[in-house]
Amino acid sequence: MKAKSIKSIAVMTGGGDCPGLNAVIRAVTKTAINKYGLEVWGIEDGFLGLIEDRIHILSYDEVSNILTVGGTILGSCSVANPFAYKMKVGKTVQAKDLSDKCIKALKSRNIDALICIGGDGTMTSAAGFAKKGLIVMGVPKTIDNDLYGTDITFGFDTAVTTATEAIDKVHTTASSHHRVMIVEVMGRYAGWIALHSGVASGSDVILLPEIPYRLDKICEFVLGRSKRGKRFSIIVVAEGAKEKGGRMVVKKKVTHSPDPIRLGGIANVLAGQIRKRTSLECRAIVLGHIQRGGTPTPFDRTLATSFGNMAIELLAKGVRGHLVVLKEGKLSSIALSRVAGKIKTVPRNHHLIQAAIAVGTSFGI
Ligand code: F6P
């Protein structure tokens, strides 16, 4: 590798898993070994493995035959923040900064650079390590597609495909039984999965966190369909959607997680409310973690491979502390410091919202 200092790298996968993680690990490791003769280490279970010093050499064999496999061979963890690691001290829980310990674990193995594959939480920590002088490169992962700085993250296409296939199946049974079916999809505070799967499945109502809905408008819309002889309706609701003036539905709080809020339950709430107001038969379906599993789509496999390869190429060129991104169809990178602490939500004027409205879809407003 031209950038003289780098002889050995480590790779980790942080946050919630998603399809395509293994494709990135494979691309990173094979490019590093084949093209630059680097030594590659794998950190187990994200930043938790770095904190607990669980790091092993990644062999060529270990990353063979994993391109199509969902999940991550390295394991992941969404609750370990190395800069504020929550641990029990006596009877209290305290947040400790273990970042120096993590850097030490890398240095003790002569690891020169760290490739962090993850979403916004992982990139915020990666930015922190970059600030401390560690050579870091980020790769944008998440089914939510909410990572700032990139037009798309790998994992998103597979999640949208899975959600669309599920909604298509719900469509036929909704039609047979003349029901209002409310399908809840993931996405945290962004409505990308709901918007894309809703449009792709021709859903009647799409509810996004970015567009607070009015219950009366939804009821009016499904009743109107009923009166016109369309005796069923499909509503796709993002887990983070909320009524105008209302609050998101929280499933639980994971207190030791950097982002403790786990959303979920809005579909059931809506089913009860719409049933009460319209007397139509309503059913709620929560797709949940199915959206994070399975083999990545060809699009995600190629995107993940390009991202992984680019991460090594950028390191070779001397780029430091950046996130690999896809912007307007081109691979490039952006400083992690510009990404940290931000998310990318659906803009109100997004072309898909306009197209959906034009074909008669309601956003509950
Ligand atoms: O960020 C990915 C994601 O699947 C979100 O869509 C969802 O809100 C969250 O993770 C669920 O987290 P957990 O797996 O911890 O329940």
Side-chain angles (χ1 to χ4, degrees):
M1 183 167 276
K2 249 191 188 161
K4 308 149 259 12
S5 51
I6 299 180
K7 291 197 179 65
S8 173
I9 62 164
V11 57
M12 51 87 54
T13 52
D17 71 339
C18 85
L21 283 165
N22 284 327
V24 180
I25 295 169
R26 169 181 174 269
V28 161
T29 309
K30 289 194 169 182
T31 306
I33 294 175
N34 282 343
K35 198 164 169 191
Y36 296 104
L38 303 183
E39 182 178 64
V40 184
W41 295 77
I43 299 169
E44 295 160 26
D45 300 335
F47 286 126
L48 185 65
L50 193 51
I51 290 165
E52 294 177 350
D53 205 15
R54 290 187 281 114
I55 307 170
H56 67 268
I57 290 266
L58 266 183
S59 69
Y60 205 85
D61 270 359
E62 201 178 336
V63 301
S64 284
N65 281 324
I66 62 168
L67 173 65
T68 63
V69 183
T72 159
I73 57 161
L74 290 174
S76 194
C77 173
S78 49
V79 296
N81 175 358
F83 290 85
Y85 184 61
K86 293 192 181 151
M87 45 202 308
K88 263 196 160 178
V89 182
K91 280 187 183 160
T92 60
V93 175
Q94 287 178 17
K96 296 250 181 215
D97 182 353
L98 301 180
S99 55
D100 286 337
K101 183 174 187 259
C102 293
I103 292 174
K104 227 176 181 180
L106 297 172
K107 297 282 171 219
S108 69
R109 293 172 174 88
N110 295 317
I111 296 169
D112 307 303
L114 176 63
I115 309 259
C116 298
I117 310 169
D120 63 330
T122 304
M123 291 316 144
T124 302
S125 294
F129 281 121
K131 211 171 163 197
K132 287 194 145 205
L134 196 70
I135 299 176
V136 184
M137 188 62 65
V139 179
K141 159 241 75 157
T142 169
I143 62 161
D144 304 335
N145 195 35
D146 63 350
L147 195 55
Y148 183 85
T150 184
D151 289 344
I152 193 153
T153 54
F154 73 86
F156 173 63
D157 185 66
T158 309
V160 169
T161 302
T162 301
T164 304
E165 282 170 5
I167 301 164
D168 288 348
K169 287 178 179 157
V170 166
H171 220 122
T172 54
T173 175
S175 163
S176 309
H177 290 272
H178 320 301
R179 287 172 173 156
V180 176
M181 298 291 240
I182 302 147
V183 185
E184 179 177 315
V185 296
M186 282 183 163
R188 286 197 316 169
Y189 309 114
W192 294 107
I193 299 177
L195 178 62
H196 281 253
S197 62
V199 172
S201 61
S203 292
D204 307 298
V205 182
I206 302 174
L207 303 175
L208 311 178
E210 295 86 350
I211 308 179
Y213 59 81
R214 283 180 49 190
L215 189 59
D216 56 337
K217 292 286 176 192
I218 300 172
C219 294
E220 218 173 83
F221 190 85
V222 293
L223 277 176
R225 278 177 55 80
S226 228
K227 280 184 197 136
R228 291 197 307 276
K230 298 269 187 191
R231 295 169 60 205
F232 73 96
S233 289
I234 306 289
I235 301 177
V236 177
V237 59
E239 62 182 356
K242 60 173 190 272
E243 197 174 356
K244 201 165 183 214
R247 288 182 176 187
M248 292 182 184
V249 180
V250 175
K251 186 169 66 185
K252 63 174 175 180
K253 286 188 182 169
V254 184
T255 47
H256 55 295
S257 171
D259 179 9
I261 304 292
R262 293 294 181 275
L263 298 169
I266 181 72
N268 278 291
V269 170
L270 273 173
Q273 290 173 328
I274 298 171
R275 189 182 305 124
K276 204 170 159 199
R277 289 209 185 190
T278 64
S279 299
L280 295 169
E281 190 180 355
C282 300
R283 296 292 170 95
I285 298 112
V286 181
L287 295 187
H289 290 82
I290 286 172
Q291 296 157 95
R292 292 225 307 244
T295 183
T297 57
F299 179 86
D300 273 337
R301 292 178 201 180
T302 51
L303 183 65
T305 302
S306 304
F307 277 163
N309 169 255
M310 186 67 168
I312 298 298
E313 296 299 349
L314 287 173
L315 280 181
K317 283 195 183 119
V319 178
R320 306 285 181 251
H322 270 217
L323 171 72
V324 180
V325 297
L326 192 74
K327 272 280 184 199
E328 288 161 10
K330 287 202 179 103
L331 282 175
S332 61
S333 71
I334 173 176
L336 283 165
S337 55
R338 290 182 55 200
V339 173
K342 296 186 195 147
I343 63 163
K344 177 189 72 189
T345 54
V346 179
R348 283 292 279 257
N349 62 354
H350 192 277
H351 64 89
L352 262 189
I353 296 181
Q354 286 172 25
I357 291 172
V359 299
T361 310
S362 166
F363 283 83
I365 48 172

